[in-house]
PDB file of all heavy atoms in Angstrom:
ATOM      1  N   SER A  79      -5.080  13.905 -11.283  1.00 97.00           N
ATOM      2  CA  SER A  79      -3.906  13.876 -12.146  1.00 97.00           C
ATOM      3  C   SER A  79      -3.000  15.076 -11.881  1.00 97.00           C
ATOM      4  O   SER A  79      -3.460  16.138 -11.476  1.00 97.00           O
ATOM      5  CB  SER A  79      -4.327  13.895 -13.618  1.00 97.00           C
ATOM      6  OG  SER A  79      -4.990  12.705 -13.960  1.00 97.00           O
ATOM      7  N   PRO A 103     -15.199  20.607  -1.630  1.00 96.00           N
ATOM      8  CA  PRO A 103     -15.484  21.891  -0.982  1.00 96.00           C
ATOM      9  C   PRO A 103     -14.426  22.258   0.057  1.00 96.00           C
ATOM     10  O   PRO A 103     -14.057  23.437   0.189  1.00 96.00           O
ATOM     11  CB  PRO A 103     -16.857  21.677  -0.349  1.00 96.00           C
ATOM     12  CG  PRO A 103     -17.499  20.642  -1.204  1.00 96.00           C
ATOM     13  CD  PRO A 103     -16.380  19.706  -1.563  1.00 96.00           C
ATOM     14  N   GLN A 185       1.793  26.996 -27.310  1.00 98.00           N
ATOM     15  CA  GLN A 185       1.651  27.388 -28.716  1.00 98.00           C
ATOM     16  C   GLN A 185       2.851  28.198 -29.185  1.00 98.00           C
ATOM     17  O   GLN A 185       3.323  28.025 -30.316  1.00 98.00           O
ATOM     18  CB  GLN A 185       0.353  28.172 -28.910  1.00 98.00           C
ATOM     19  CG  GLN A 185      -0.908  27.320 -28.775  1.00 98.00           C
ATOM     20  CD  GLN A 185      -2.172  28.138 -28.896  1.00 98.00           C
ATOM     21  OE1 GLN A 185      -2.319  29.172 -28.252  1.00 98.00           O
ATOM     22  NE2 GLN A 185      -3.105  27.677 -29.707  1.00 98.00           N
ATOM     23  N   PRO A 212     -17.252  13.571 -29.694  1.00 98.00           N
ATOM     24  CA  PRO A 212     -17.552  12.380 -30.504  1.00 98.00           C
ATOM     25  C   PRO A 212     -18.365  12.702 -31.758  1.00 98.00           C
ATOM     26  O   PRO A 212     -18.093  12.150 -32.830  1.00 98.00           O
ATOM     27  CB  PRO A 212     -18.346  11.492 -29.538  1.00 98.00           C
ATOM     28  CG  PRO A 212     -17.968  11.950 -28.176  1.00 98.00           C
ATOM     29  CD  PRO A 212     -17.720  13.413 -28.302  1.00 98.00           C
ATOM     30  N   PRO A 264      -0.967  -3.903 -29.586  1.00 95.00           N
ATOM     31  CA  PRO A 264      -0.870  -2.449 -29.747  1.00 95.00           C
ATOM     32  C   PRO A 264      -1.879  -1.918 -30.764  1.00 95.00           C
ATOM     33  O   PRO A 264      -2.126  -2.540 -31.799  1.00 95.00           O
ATOM     34  CB  PRO A 264       0.566  -2.243 -30.231  1.00 95.00           C
ATOM     35  CG  PRO A 264       1.305  -3.439 -29.730  1.00 95.00           C
ATOM     36  CD  PRO A 264       0.319  -4.573 -29.813  1.00 95.00           C
TER      37      PRO A 264
END
Side-chain angles (χ1 to χ4, degrees):
S79 293
Q185 290 177 311

